[in-house]
Amino acid sequence: MISLPSNEHKHPPKLDIRHAAPSHLQIEGHDVLSNYERLIQEANVLAGRNPLHWTARVELHPSAAGQPESWLHLTVETSLPQTCQRCLGSVDVSVQVDREFRFVESEAVAEQQDDECEEDLLVTSREFDLAALIEDEVLMALPLVPRHETCPVGVKMAVADEDFDAPVEKPNPFAVLAKLKSKD
């Protein structure tokens, strides 16, 4: 197994999957969220310096037919400050990704096998963009509605403030017509 020291990688490199899998390549690194444009768009302003730790292991596994297939095991840990949808304050959302992917030769093969297999499929590439995969997986792991378990401030449950002027009641136009009709 080839293992490169983590200090050699900050931002995930592009990988040649065909060469990485037979050598059982294992790499890891520490990056910051500011290097991922789409993650920064999902986070609060101060997220840029938040660390993102990742590990990737590319290796061969035998298929059901006994042929070697390339697989990627990916783990990612980070925390994104987002806006709590209850109290509108900042909430740190912890994200952990632990996924495995099998590589296939083409998009056509991936489309054909996608319905019949449980694992996620990726297309083998000489310049596989590991950083894009990491960003995609973290985005998909984010909650749809970020919120605190218990908000640190009281959450207003009323739809209007007490100081707000109550609407002036207008007379019912049909009641006015009924009065005119009763006078006749």
Side-chain angles (χ1 to χ4, degrees), residues 28-118:
E28 66 180 275
H30 297 279
D31 208 348
V32 290
L33 291 178
S34 61
N35 290 330
Y36 300 87
E37 184 179 326
R38 294 179 296 152
L39 289 179
I40 287 297
Q41 290 173 0
E42 291 296 319
N44 284 351
V45 177
L46 303 174
R49 293 185 179 198
N50 279 24
L52 181 139
H53 177 74
W54 57 270
T55 61
R57 186 177 67 243
V58 186
E59 58 191 357
L60 294 175
H61 290 233
S63 69
Q67 299 297 320
E69 296 177 320
S70 299
W71 284 72
L72 168 68
H73 182 217
L74 176 69
T75 62
V76 182
E77 293 179 18
T78 191
S79 177
L80 268 82
Q82 294 191 293
T83 301
C84 174
Q85 297 302 301
R86 269 191 236 154
C87 70
L88 301 178
S90 184
V91 59
D92 283 330
V93 177
S94 177
V95 177
Q96 295 186 348
V97 174
D98 189 354
R99 304 278 313 271
E100 287 195 345
F101 304 90
R102 181 170 56 94
F103 287 92
V104 294
E105 292 302 314
S106 67
E107 288 288 341
V109 173
E111 189 175 310
Q112 177 188 10
Q113 293 181 11
D114 190 40
D115 290 338
E116 58 197 47
C117 65
E118 292 180 22

